[in-house]
Amino acid sequence: SLIIAHRGGAAVAPENTMAAFERAIADGADWIELDVQENADGDVIVEHDEDFMRVGGVPLRVWQATHEDLATLDIGSSFAPEYMDQRVPTLRQVLDLAKGRIGVVIELKYYGHAVALERKVVDLVEATGTEDQIVIMSLNYDAVRKVKNMRPEWTCGLLNSVAIGDLTGLDVDFLAITGKEATWGTSRRAHRRGLKVFAWTIDEPAQMSAMIS
């Protein structure tokens, strides 16, 4: 079994922040999971939602956010006052932090404004020399296939949150599915076809025991 800190371990630090990723490393997680999008300047930044309302209290859209906007956007104090210094990280910052220390699960997020997200992520991973410690996933199957076509040797998977039939026949390396959907039958079919199964988000000991079994 693997311990994957979801959005950096959002239960113990503000999600998708450097503080959360540092905490995951300190706590001994095997991997961190994060979400990436392109901002107004075309950089790949780490953010889950389409805007910063939930984490920062402002309705600014990710694809409209400039470096200047993000330099002053506090995305930590909504979690706890001591995190008021936290800002939206870039993927490069996180990969530099993680290099040689922890694996990184990169989720490609799409809200209809991506320009060249797949290519940029590939370039950043290679520029930081972290090819051997990343995996790529997305809800968008076409995006997963784009990355796989560019880098066939990379591990790429489909993220899925609803029951939409048998996913085990898709051309991916793994499925990231909800604990509810990660049934014995689905896991068995996936394993027979050479796919790994990642179940999310598993926080409770009883859930962990069931998934390991």
Side-chain angles (χ1 to χ4, degrees):
S1 62
L2 296 173
I3 298 173
I4 303 174
H6 187 225
R7 303 182 201 173
V12 294
E15 67 176 58
N16 279 331
T17 61
M18 295 301 285
F21 302 133
E22 289 166 355
R23 175 66 183 270
I25 293 171
D27 286 349
D30 299 301
W31 295 78
I32 52 175
E33 183 268 353
L34 52 80
D35 312 275
V36 297
Q37 305 177 54
E38 292 163 286
N39 74 346
D41 297 309
D43 283 340
V44 180
I45 65 169
V46 181
E47 169 59 24
H48 179 275
D49 298 353
E50 64 180 336
D51 61 34
F52 297 99
M53 179 60 75
R54 184 172 57 85
V55 296
V58 296
L60 178 66
R61 303 286 191 180
V62 171
W63 55 88
Q64 296 172 331
T66 64
H67 294 310
E68 290 73 19
D69 295 325
L70 300 180
T72 57
L73 180 59
D74 168 12
I75 61 166
S77 61
S78 60
F79 183 89
E82 60 265 31
Y83 292 109
M84 66 181 298
D85 62 335
Q86 294 299 298
R87 299 294 180 264
V88 178
T90 64
L91 177 59
R92 178 182 286 273
Q93 286 177 299
V94 181
L95 292 175
D96 284 337
L97 173 74
K99 186 174 182 178
R101 305 172 72 191
I102 195 168
V104 184
V105 181
I106 303 171
E107 180 186 344
L108 309 177
K109 299 290 287 189
Y110 295 90
Y111 294 104
H113 295 269
V115 177
L117 183 59
E118 305 89 9
R119 167 54 63 185
K120 290 176 180 179
V121 168
V122 168
D123 289 346
L124 284 167
V125 169
E126 293 181 338
T128 53
T130 51
E131 298 97 322
D132 63 346
Q133 61 183 89
I134 61 96
V135 300
I136 305 292
M137 70 177 182
S138 181
L139 286 160
N140 186 320
Y141 181 55
D142 288 339
V144 173
R145 295 304 308 150
K146 284 181 183 179
V147 176
K148 196 67 174 174
N149 287 335
M150 283 189 281
R151 296 295 181 270
E153 71 277 14
W154 287 17
T155 301
C156 300
L158 181 69
L159 174 68
N160 186 59
S161 59
V162 294
I164 55 171
D166 185 7
L167 302 173
T168 62
L170 296 178
D171 186 17
V172 294
D173 300 307
F174 69 89
L175 299 175
I177 54 182
T178 66
K180 181 179 179 181
E181 297 300 325
T183 62
W184 184 87
T186 295
S187 298
R188 186 173 176 83
R189 285 194 302 274
H191 293 160
R192 282 175 172 172
R193 296 175 182 176
L195 278 66
K196 292 184 178 180
V197 176
F198 292 84
W200 57 272
T201 296
I202 310 301
D203 291 328
E204 299 300 325
Q207 287 181 302
M208 294 177 193
S209 179
M211 291 299 102
I212 291 170
S213 296

